[in-house]
Amino acid sequence: DTGVSQDPRHKITKRGQNVTFRCDPISEHNRLYWYRQTLGQGPEFLTYFQNEAQLEKSRLLSDRFSAERPKGSFSTLEIQRTEQGDSAMYLCASSHDSIRSYEQYFGPGTRLTVT
Amino acid sequence: GQNIDQPTEMTATEGAIVQINCTYQTSGFNGLFWYQQHAGEAPTFLSYNVLDGLEEKGRFSSFLSRSKGYSYLLLKELQMKDSASYLCASGGRGSTLGRLYFGRGTQLTVWP
């Protein structure tokens, strides 16, 4: 399978715990995006990497959230001191910066439930 | 954001044609996207319009009018498997290049 993969697919955690999600983009894609989606809403942009550089962060991304892409390949999204409001589907997407750069391919998402 | 507005729900019958409208804020516009999302699954890319006019791709077509800040997605010969949420999104530009601004999605139900 050469699509975008995310791990884990589901995560249940207690309020106050830290969680980390991983995204592996399509191998030749150098752009990587994180979005968050809650029920009945469209995805909301969180952050974006070009290679290993984090180029943009949404104001939605509080200081409890941090994302990394250390070698320009996979990325991790960490949420510290989780809150119930963090419960959502966390989607990762990737694209190429020159070949059909407008087309973002989404992974299956990580569904986070904070109890 | 880009003030994306689209209807919340639509219904149609198998074999029919349905048009899903979307309006967006024209300032900072950099392309209009349509994605399909089945329940519990990731969004999948359907179309991208950056110039005015109609783009046809099989049973799906997408239209854009930049001056009016308006787009629609046209689905022909509807099938049951077309029941899904259809997300309209605009692309950022300048400092927000790379991000997509999504609407809430239009939940389409196709009845037999």
Side-chain angles (χ1 to χ4, degrees), chain B residues 6-14 16-20 34-39 46 59-60 73-87 104-111:
Chain B
Q6 55 182 125
T8 305
E9 293 179 338
M10 296 185 74
T11 60
T13 53
E14 235 180 338
I17 299 173
V18 71
Q19 177 175 312
I20 303 174
W34 286 95
Y35 279 77
Q36 179 191 60
Q37 187 175 28
H38 286 99
L46 289 178
R59 295 190 297 115
F60 293 6
L73 181 70
L74 191 71
L75 293 79
K76 301 176 186 176
E77 300 168 17
L78 282 172
Q79 302 174 9
M80 299 290 288
K81 67 179 182 179
D82 297 329
S83 292
S85 180
Y86 290 86
L87 299 160
R104 297 178 64 170
T106 298
Q107 183 63 47
L108 173 67
T109 302
V110 180
W111 299 102

Side-chain angles (χ1 to χ4, degrees), chain A residues 9 31 33 35 37 40-43 45 48 56-58 89 91 100 102-104 106-108, chain B residues 33 35 37 40-45 48 57 87 95-105:
Chain A
R9 295 290 305 275
R31 290 182 176 173
Y33 313 81
Y35 292 85
Q37 186 175 26
Q41 303 293 320
F45 172 83
Y48 152 54
E56 192 185 356
K57 285 175 61 171
S58 164
M89 176 74 86
L91 293 164
R100 295 172 63 93
Y102 51 83
E103 187 168 342
Q104 295 185 18
F106 282 82
Chain B
F33 301 77
Y35 279 77
Q37 187 175 28
E41 297 183 11
T44 55
F45 172 83
Y48 168 62
K57 194 189 293 186
L87 299 160
S95 63
T96 64
L97 183 68
R99 73 158 69 182
L100 291 177
Y101 297 89
F102 282 92
R104 297 178 64 170

